[in-house]
Amino acid sequence: MWVSTKAQYGLRALIEIARRDGEAVPLKDVSERQGISQHYLEQIASNLRRAGFIKSIRGAHGGYRLARPAHEINAYDVVTAMEGSIAPVSCVEEDHVCDSQNVCGTQTLWHRVDTALRDVLGGTTLADLIVESDRQQHARLVQLEPSFPHLR
């Protein structure tokens, strides 16, 4: 399975907006902090808004904010809103009828892969991603004190 940059950037934009805790965030700010083209980000924001993840705030201090709390938005919903299906092969699509079901030796494998993807993405919220990101950032900032021979 290949996750497009649209889905990856969509998640990154949502995390950036969620970090502002209800404040309206201009796309220019998200673009600068995340290194994403503002033009491309406008297309992504339009998709995220239509999917109900963000709402736009007009005016001088306008921008975007989350439409619901970060702990209620999971990565699976975002990725599928941006990508459509994330099934690794068509035979595990919900509405697919498999003609090779009786002779295929790989169907169970693809169902396990599909289940694992859904479990990992569905079990990861924006709030989780923010906590993980903060931990990584903190770990990068922590510097170990160099060891010096004891002074006598």
Side-chain angles (χ1 to χ4, degrees):
M1 187 201 131
W2 185 262
V3 176
S4 71
T5 55
K6 188 181 351 178
Q8 293 174 52
Y9 290 174
L11 277 169
R12 287 171 51 188
L14 286 173
I15 290 168
E16 195 64 41
I17 292 167
R19 286 182 183 281
R20 295 287 194 61
D21 201 28
E23 174 186 332
V25 182
L27 285 183
K28 180 181 178 208
D29 291 1
V30 176
S31 172
E32 289 172 358
R33 286 198 36 91
Q34 291 295 320
I36 302 169
S37 152
Q38 187 169 345
H39 177 70
Y40 191 34
L41 197 53
E42 287 167 359
Q43 296 171 24
I44 291 167
S46 177
N47 290 346
L48 293 171
R49 188 183 47 74
R50 277 194 304 274
F53 297 116
I54 57 176
K55 55 186 173 183
S56 61
I57 308 302
R58 299 193 184 276
H61 300 286
Y64 290 89
R65 68 173 61 136
L66 293 183
R68 55 187 197 260
H71 69 273
E72 292 181 9
I73 300 173
N74 68 52
Y76 176 81
D77 291 340
V78 175
V79 171
T80 57
M82 302 301 282
E83 298 273 337
S85 172
I86 61 162
V89 292
S90 62
C91 69
V92 297
E93 297 274 351
E94 289 181 25
D95 59 351
H96 182 78
V97 177
C98 184
D99 297 332
S100 304
Q101 186 171 350
N102 295 330
V103 294
C104 179
T106 62
Q107 187 178 25
T108 12
L109 168 68
W110 300 125
H111 276 288
R112 287 195 322 260
V113 170
D114 186 54
T115 299
L117 281 171
R118 290 171 187 265
D119 288 348
V120 170
L121 293 173
T124 306
T125 67
L126 288 182
D128 297 331
L129 292 171
I130 291 168
V131 168
E132 289 173 15
S133 174
D134 289 348
R135 280 188 196 139
Q136 289 174 350
Q137 182 67 18
H138 180 72
R140 283 190 286 265
L141 295 176
V142 173
Q143 295 180 2
L144 297 176
E145 193 173 300
S147 57
F148 292 102
H150 293 285
L151 297 173
R152 295 179 195 211

